[in-house]
Amino acid sequence: MSIIVLDEATVSKIAAGEIIENPASIVKELIENSIDANSKNIIVEIKGSIGDFIRITDDGDGMDESDLNLAFLRHATSKLRTVEDLNNIVSLGFRGEALASISHISKLEVLTKTEDSLTGLRAEISNGKIDKLNNVGLPKGTTFFVRDVFFNTPVRKKYLKNDNVEFNYIYEVVQKISLGNPDISIKLIRDNKVIMNTNSEANIKNRIFSILGRDIASNLLNNTFNSESYKINIYFSNNKLYRSNRMHQYIYINGRYVKNLEISKIIEKYYYSLIPLNRYPVFLLYLDIDPILVDVNIHPKKHEVKLSKDNNVLAIIGETVEEVLYPNRRIPDPIESYKENKTEEKSVFEIFNDNLINSNKSEIVQDNFIKNNVNAIEDTEDFQSKNVKISEYEVLKDESEDYNANAESENIFEGNKFSKIDNSILDAKIVGILFKTFIILENTALEKIYLVDQHAAHERIMYEKYKRQYESSSVLKQILLKPEVISLSPEEMSKVQNNLTQFQNLGFEIEEFGDNTLILREIPMVFGEGSYTNFIYDAISSLDRNIKSSYEVDPYKIMKKACKSAVKAGDRLSNIEVDYLLKDLINCDNPYTCPHGRPTIIEVKKYDIEKLFLRE
């Protein structure tokens, strides 16, 4: 499609006032133009101080002389004709502002040739006008030379950061575009060094591996969904892989990298209690959707989009994740986690120097952007009582005299073939208890040991027991010998009156007891002693939200309060209690984490222990 200058009516609908913030903005716009021109090979080269020299070369469709004469005018584009075309945008660019903006703040030269032309064209451009134009011999495609960025706007140039930081921005742009277009070969060169070189890949997983590295690629799961309106292909982390922010969440809608908090949150919901709190899953979502169902014309950078409410794509994305995530949970490896969490955040240039990998024809930078300080410190709060733990296993006490020391070396999991836990745990034997907290299991065949946190494990058991009771409307309750009187503010009292059934479904028997006062007569048995009053206040504070079911009053509060009566770190457990604790854990729906997302089990390889003794 040839380039035209848009009419005023169309311009008024799309004009964004394109501003080139930094050299990375230039690289982004020019690469996107190359992709829209059907390029299969793109080379980005940076030389000297960032902004001194940028070259983008592609093998795309190129431009003829008529297109070249219009390309640098405001709102000149080949992607649109009328306002109605905004409903069918599949190209990365469409406003026709980028080339004009670049030509006004830099010294610009372009070489281009179409397949049908006998010769190519060379043009020098300034302020949106071609100063010089001549014929040259060229292969098909386009090359842009951008020099002296911001030479005529020194104030803006003053706000650029140091060269390494600005190059980081360029690397991030190239990385994101490359991840979203695996069928295009993209090479990034800095001062004659190849920083990134990706070949055209039919397999997206290979592209992810080459850019994000082995640690991420090896911990990604995959699922797809197809319908008439959209196609979903998503790679998402298992429960061993997470980050302290959303930087490694990549969303591509019709090939365009975007940010969409709705999509991020719907995916994150399914990691709830699978990974620690305040941590985020890694995912790459490729969504091909009917253009009429997505609005890309809401932000100057085109990074943000709005999805139509006329489709249920968000729900389907969530279900696509859930379908594969739960059956593929894994036991955390503390050695690898420690290495990951100790990784300092470095510039791309530092990563290049430290981690350059030779790969015959290319050198690929492994990703070390994120500094993860995973806080896995156990809560040391002195819980109220051990009575619930004792009563829970009281039925076993009569048998404990017959439970001899040899039981510790027996396989207590034998015969539990339908457990929801990793099969390697089923073949483990109890070795002992470390620091009255960590139960030690040994799998001699796989040369691994497993450490089970007794507190986290019991939290998980109690939480799932409470959850099952709630979902089956059969919460076990206990009558308080001394009913608890709870005083509330008028606003709090109003919330309780409007949501009384919420508390009843959760196992709390509450009645009004005078002005702004409640009396609590029964509580869920799982709560134990002393924690229910605070829970009532916490739950009331969450009732101003739109909730769909009683259980959504505040799930985080419920989890924390339900864990108050769990055995603590330092509690001494008998052999029979350890036995039944582990048997209950392996039959949990999610035995790998406590309700807070902290691990219940970690594994340590014999090899890692040998390394500590320098026996490599």
Side-chain angles (χ1 to χ4, degrees), residues 148-165:
D148 296 335
V149 176
F150 300 136
F151 77 98
N152 56 353
T153 54
V155 174
R156 196 180 303 176
K157 190 171 186 176
K158 188 184 300 183
Y159 285 94
L160 292 180
K161 299 178 181 177
N162 67 59
D163 283 350
N164 281 342
V165 173

Side-chain angles (χ1 to χ4, degrees), residues 148-295:
D148 296 335
V149 176
F150 300 136
F151 77 98
N152 56 353
T153 54
V155 174
R156 196 180 303 176
K157 190 171 186 176
K158 188 184 300 183
Y159 285 94
L160 292 180
K161 299 178 181 177
N162 67 59
D163 283 350
N164 281 342
V165 173
E166 292 296 336
F167 182 74
N168 287 352
Y169 296 151
I170 293 173
Y171 180 90
E172 184 180 359
V173 163
V174 177
Q175 178 193 60
K176 288 175 178 175
I177 293 177
S178 183
L179 284 169
N181 297 273
D183 59 329
I184 299 175
S185 172
I186 301 180
K187 180 184 290 188
L188 174 63
I189 302 171
R190 182 181 186 185
D191 293 331
N192 300 318
K193 280 188 176 181
V194 176
I195 304 300
M196 189 177 83
N197 188 9
T198 60
N199 296 320
S200 176
E201 290 282 359
N203 188 330
I204 296 177
K205 192 73 174 284
N206 291 341
R207 175 61 60 94
I208 295 171
F209 177 88
S210 67
I211 295 176
L212 299 183
R214 180 189 301 273
D215 290 342
I216 288 180
S218 62
N219 284 294
L220 291 179
L221 309 172
N222 176 237
N223 203 5
T224 60
F225 177 89
N226 294 320
S227 73
E228 291 184 2
S229 297
Y230 35 76
K231 296 180 180 179
I232 297 171
N233 186 12
I234 181 168
Y235 293 83
F236 51 97
S237 56
N238 58 27
N239 61 302
K240 293 174 65 174
L241 174 64
Y242 46 82
R243 293 291 184 262
S244 58
N245 53 44
R246 293 189 175 100
M247 283 183 63
H248 274 301
Q249 295 183 354
Y250 304 92
I251 302 171
Y252 298 93
I253 297 182
N254 295 336
R256 182 195 309 278
Y257 170 80
V258 301
K259 297 177 182 178
N260 187 286
L261 196 56
E262 284 185 306
I263 291 177
S264 291
K265 286 187 174 181
I266 199 71
I267 293 174
E268 289 164 6
K269 183 180 76 171
Y270 293 94
Y271 288 83
Y272 178 66
S273 92
L274 287 182
I275 62 177
L277 297 178
N278 301 317
R279 295 296 180 266
Y280 301 91
V282 173
F283 66 80
L284 297 95
L285 170 65
Y286 301 91
L287 173 61
D288 293 329
I289 189 170
D290 187 335
I292 202 169
L293 297 177
V294 59
D295 184 1

Side-chain angles (χ1 to χ4, degrees), residues 185-422:
S185 172
I186 301 180
K187 180 184 290 188
L188 174 63
I189 302 171
R190 182 181 186 185
D191 293 331
N192 300 318
K193 280 188 176 181
V194 176
I195 304 300
M196 189 177 83
N197 188 9
T198 60
N199 296 320
S200 176
E201 290 282 359
N203 188 330
I204 296 177
K205 192 73 174 284
N206 291 341
R207 175 61 60 94
I208 295 171
F209 177 88
S210 67
I211 295 176
L212 299 183
R214 180 189 301 273
D215 290 342
I216 288 180
S218 62
N219 284 294
L220 291 179
L221 309 172
N222 176 237
N223 203 5
T224 60
F225 177 89
N226 294 320
S227 73
E228 291 184 2
S229 297
Y230 35 76
K231 296 180 180 179
I232 297 171
N233 186 12
I234 181 168
Y235 293 83
F236 51 97
S237 56
N238 58 27
N239 61 302
K240 293 174 65 174
L241 174 64
Y242 46 82
R243 293 291 184 262
S244 58
N245 53 44
R246 293 189 175 100
M247 283 183 63
H248 274 301
Q249 295 183 354
Y250 304 92
I251 302 171
Y252 298 93
I253 297 182
N254 295 336
R256 182 195 309 278
Y257 170 80
V258 301
K259 297 177 182 178
N260 187 286
L261 196 56
E262 284 185 306
I263 291 177
S264 291
K265 286 187 174 181
I266 199 71
I267 293 174
E268 289 164 6
K269 183 180 76 171
Y270 293 94
Y271 288 83
Y272 178 66
S273 92
L274 287 182
I275 62 177
L277 297 178
N278 301 317
R279 295 296 180 266
Y280 301 91
V282 173
F283 66 80
L284 297 95
L285 170 65
Y286 301 91
L287 173 61
D288 293 329
I289 189 170
D290 187 335
I292 202 169
L293 297 177
V294 59
D295 184 1
V296 299
N297 188 35
I298 65 172
H299 192 278
K301 293 184 178 180
K302 305 185 286 284
H303 274 174
E304 296 179 11
V305 297
K306 284 186 178 179
L307 295 171
S308 169
K309 300 300 181 183
D310 297 334
N311 66 87
N312 57 347
V313 66
L314 290 176
I316 292 177
I317 289 172
E319 292 169 3
T320 305
V321 171
E322 182 184 29
E323 184 180 12
V324 175
L325 177 61
Y326 274 73
N328 286 278
R329 293 162 294 174
R330 295 291 182 266
I331 302 172
D333 185 333
I335 303 299
E336 293 303 316
S337 297
Y338 177 81
K339 292 176 182 176
E340 182 71 36
N341 299 337
K342 288 298 181 181
T343 300
E344 297 293 332
E345 185 175 10
K346 298 182 179 181
S347 70
V348 174
F349 189 62
E350 290 172 320
I351 296 171
F352 169 74
N353 287 332
D354 295 340
N355 301 307
L356 199 62
I357 295 179
N358 295 319
S359 177
N360 295 332
K361 296 182 179 179
S362 66
E363 299 169 299
I364 301 169
V365 177
Q366 296 296 306
D367 176 76
N368 275 318
F369 276 115
I370 308 298
K371 179 182 179 181
N372 292 297
N373 295 311
V374 178
N375 181 9
I377 301 173
E378 180 56 85
D379 185 358
T380 57
E381 179 181 0
D382 186 16
F383 295 123
Q384 295 288 331
S385 171
K386 192 178 174 182
N387 292 337
V388 174
K389 181 267 296 183
I390 294 174
S391 62
E392 186 176 7
Y393 293 106
E394 192 164 342
V395 69
L396 307 174
K397 282 189 174 180
D398 293 338
E399 305 174 23
S400 61
E401 293 180 2
D402 299 324
Y403 189 89
N404 56 53
N406 292 333
E408 291 188 352
S409 62
E410 293 176 357
N411 183 349
I412 66 166
F413 308 110
E414 190 172 356
N416 225 336
K417 301 305 180 186
F418 298 100
S419 169
K420 300 179 179 67
I421 205 165
D422 192 315

